[in-house]
Amino acid sequence: MTATRYHHGNLRQALADAAVAAARERGPDGLAVRELARSVGVSHNAAYRHFADRDALVGVVADAGLAGLVTAMDRRLGEVTATEPVARARARLTALGTGYVDFALAEPGLFQVLFTAYPDPPDGSDASDPYGMLNAALDDLVAVGYLDPALREGADVTCWSAVHGFAMLCVGGPLRQLPPVVRDQALAAMLASLDRAYGVRAESSRAE
């Protein structure tokens, strides 16, 4: 990590910026208050006045990661051009999964810190966080008649698990060596499988 010397101004922000930079390079292993204090040129006692412990520092970095993840997912949502309700709802769910993996690949360190910091499952009610965005997209699929309401319960966990697992395999697992074109094809195929799985019963109902 490149040291950023602190001279004046907001020490808390300087430490937070240094922590984000360290997490980008080393993931959760880069977040040690004493090391970050040295990187900005202050004593560890000065740093502890702003961050009582490592968990507090992890939380700040995770917030930066969360903001980046939402931005990546929003960017993909902005690329959806379909206007027909069913096609649009289906495309938006796929876009969210693609944006999720985009962020994991672009910021693997922050991605890992993000899921270190939040051990408790989110409730999915906040439409401004990734899990809430996923739930809103699934609710839209029900509303347009593509996803059978009977299949809605648990669909959020299934979709999240599939996309997160794919992201982790690409970030630090056996898929990390895949050429980008092959990786993107594999992601598209996985997301298409999720789409088909949740639309089968609704498609059958419309055909009856």
Side-chain angles (χ1 to χ4, degrees):
M1 178 182 68
T2 302
T4 301
R5 309 300 291 181
Y6 167 77
H7 297 291
H8 57 80
N10 190 337
L11 177 55
R12 179 181 174 82
Q13 188 60 51
L15 288 166
D17 291 345
V20 170
R24 282 191 164 118
E25 289 189 15
R26 298 171 53 198
D29 292 341
L31 300 181
V33 177
R34 285 176 177 266
E35 290 182 14
L36 292 167
R38 284 196 295 271
S39 77
V40 299
V42 298
S43 70
H44 65 270
N45 286 331
Y48 280 121
R49 285 197 290 271
H50 295 278
F51 295 99
D53 53 29
R54 183 178 181 276
D55 287 344
L57 195 62
V58 168
V60 169
V61 177
D63 286 344
L66 184 63
L69 178 55
V70 169
T71 296
M73 294 169 74
D74 273 333
R75 184 180 301 115
R76 286 292 187 172
L77 284 177
E79 296 173 357
V80 174
T81 59
T83 56
E84 191 276 324
V86 173
R88 182 171 178 80
R90 294 172 67 185
R92 284 174 63 83
L93 181 64
T94 296
L96 289 175
T98 305
Y100 191 99
V101 175
D102 284 346
F103 179 76
L105 293 170
E107 296 283 7
L110 293 182
F111 183 74
Q112 292 177 59
V113 170
L114 178 57
F115 292 98
T116 298
Y118 299 116
D120 297 324
D123 62 17
S125 62
D126 185 351
S128 65
D129 73 34
Y131 194 47
M133 294 166 75
L134 169 60
N135 274 284
L138 290 168
D139 289 341
D140 285 346
L141 285 173
V142 173
V144 299
Y146 185 72
L147 172 58
D148 190 314
L151 298 179
R152 173 61 181 89
E153 185 176 357
D156 46 344
V157 174
T158 299
C159 290
W160 187 16
S161 298
V163 174
H164 186 78
F166 185 91
M168 293 301 293
L169 287 170
C170 291
V171 167
L175 298 187
R176 67 185 182 279
Q177 302 298 337
L178 286 181
V181 171
V182 177
R183 181 194 64 223
D184 292 347
Q185 290 172 343
L187 174 59
M190 186 270 288
L191 293 173
S193 294
L194 285 174
D195 173 69
R196 288 193 300 272
Y198 285 113
V200 167
R201 191 171 300 178
E203 291 283 11
S204 297
S205 298
R206 285 196 291 273
E208 292 175 355

